[in-house]
Amino acid sequence: MSGLKYANIFGPMRLPFLILNPACVALGAATANFSGRSINPWHLILVLIGAICAHISVNALNEYDDFKSGLDFKTQRTPFSGGSGTLPQNPDMARYALVAGMISLVIAALIGIY
């Protein structure tokens, strides 16, 4: 699979912004540890996975909705707004963005329910 194909697959997920999740989870774990609370490593891993999946879901579903509504075609893209530009450049990837968003949402919800 070419690098361009990977960019098309991961574009709607907005991977560069996912670094926020490990930072927030690490801060929460450090705060809990500093407060004298014990941390279950299994739960910490689940929280990290759930946070990343929730973020992927929001990004992918937002990309899909903005593409389908036509907003992507009216917005001047910047590094922090206007989406990844993946779907307007590759309209065939819209279904993938929807599926990726929904799967990530289900995973995050299941972890949250647990």
Side-chain angles (χ1 to χ4, degrees):
M1 201 178 260
S2 70
L4 179 60
K5 186 67 173 173
Y6 283 125
N8 293 341
I9 290 172
F10 294 118
M13 295 180 187
R14 311 282 312 259
L15 293 182
F17 294 99
L18 296 182
I19 191 68
L20 178 63
N21 300 106
C24 290
V25 170
L27 179 61
T31 301
N33 188 46
F34 182 77
S35 299
R37 305 287 183 203
S38 64
I39 297 173
N40 180 324
W42 170 246
H43 288 164
L44 184 62
I45 290 168
L46 283 177
V47 166
L48 181 59
I49 292 169
I52 290 171
C53 284
H55 200 156
I56 287 172
S57 178
V58 167
N59 289 345
L61 293 175
N62 182 54
E63 289 267 332
Y64 177 79
D65 187 61
D66 288 351
F67 174 72
K68 284 298 191 179
S69 72
L71 184 62
D72 276 348
F73 301 103
K74 299 175 185 174
T75 304
Q76 176 67 33
R77 284 188 346 108
T78 71
F80 297 101
S81 67
S84 68
T86 301
L87 299 183
Q89 294 171 2
N90 304 286
D92 57 314
M93 297 300 293
R95 181 167 166 73
Y96 168 77
L98 176 62
V99 170
M102 295 304 291
I103 289 171
S104 298
L105 177 62
V106 168
I107 293 169
L110 290 173
I111 291 172
I113 291 168
Y114 169 76

